[in-house]
Amino acid sequence: MQKRFYFILITLSIIFFTVSISPASTVPGNTYQVIDAQNQTTASASLQVIGPNLCDSTGAKIQLKGISTHGIQWFPEYINTDCFRFFRDNWGCNLIRFAMYTEEGGYLSSNEKAVQLKALIENGVQSCTSLGMYSIIDWHILSDGNPLSHVEEAKSFFNGMSALYKDNPYVIYEICNEPNGGTSWNDIKAYAEQVIPVIRANAPDAIILVGTPTWSQDVDQAAANPISPELSHNVMYTLHFYAATHRDDLRNKLMAARAAGLPVFISEFSTCDASGNGAVDYNSANTWFNLIKENNLSFAGWNLSNKAESSAILKPGTISTTGAWTDGDFSETGILLKSLMADENN
């Protein structure tokens, strides 16, 4: 009798211990739980593109509300779980974009830097996924201008990333940040049609964002000649705006592209001028924000840093990098971005 008692006691102890150490967030198979901006649990994190809209796994329209880092080679300290949790819980943020510059001391500057930045992205994606937030892995071309300049390096990078995250529906791939310097849409399309199959070989249904000419403004050109149908599954096209520089002309271009059926994702924007500096243009920013809300557009605001520039969402000198912030720590741009995310009608 005593032996039976000890056997039962030991068995119950093992069961209790096993349950206690099992991760609470573990979900069987490839089904993931997501916490949206209102902390509502949904059945699956999988996204899909239907017509011009980003949708959830059921086909309902969904909006991603995000923040873009600054170049992670300059501001790596903000890539941490506590930081992202603050924005999720206090702002309703459900997306972080990781801006990994290719040049400017970025990924392609040295093997050592490539290893360092890749590790930062992996840490960031892990943090976001653990919080039920989406991640954009951004191949941040800028001074290189034409994405074809480093197409082989991009293919290698995205092959590795998509293989690593092939079963993680929280991950979005932005394959060329801001083509510029006279780069044509034909060049960008040729680049995209080489990179997309590399990602698709590993992650057949992942969302892929493709840049457009003139620093991701000419969505009209993409609408007139989109990615070939056999590669266009779950592909969206990026538009970037800076409110003090880009006004009705770019807003009209965006709406015409959407009317033509082009799925557009605003993967970078701010409230100041295109340099990332200058005065905040409240009138233009509010017009953009109304357009975003009315059309359920997904977005990522530039930028998560305390850099002394108008587009940084934290004030210069703000010390915390882990979410110990009050509204007084945020810049004008930061407060406006918070209002866009927190709008209950958005």
Side-chain angles (χ1 to χ4, degrees), residues 73-74 100-109 113 117 140-146 149-150:
Q73 76 269 37
W74 297 311
M100 189 193 72
Y101 282 67
T102 51
E103 297 192 355
E104 291 94 355
Y107 184 80
L108 298 176
S109 61
K113 184 61 71 172
L117 297 183
H140 200 89
I141 69 163
L142 191 61
S143 66
D144 27 351
N146 190 323
S149 301
H150 300 301

Side-chain angles (χ1 to χ4, degrees), residues 277-323:
N277 234 318
V280 170
D281 188 328
Y282 284 89
N283 288 336
S284 181
N286 285 327
T287 302
W288 274 109
F289 289 3
N290 287 333
L291 184 150
I292 286 170
K293 289 181 280 190
E294 290 164 3
N295 293 276
N296 203 57
L297 296 168
S298 294
F299 61 84
W302 181 267
N303 69 77
L304 176 53
S305 79
N306 65 351
K307 187 177 179 181
E309 64 180 17
S310 305
S311 59
I313 67 172
L314 289 160
K315 290 179 179 176
T318 301
I319 296 172
S320 176
T321 61
T322 58

Side-chain angles (χ1 to χ4, degrees), residues 31-36 39-46 56-58 62 132 134 170:
T31 302
Y32 294 77
Q33 295 296 313
V34 153
I35 305 299
D36 70 12
N39 293 328
Q40 300 291 320
T41 302
T42 58
S44 172
S46 297
D56 67 14
S57 60
T58 71
I62 191 171
Y134 291 88
Y170 290 105

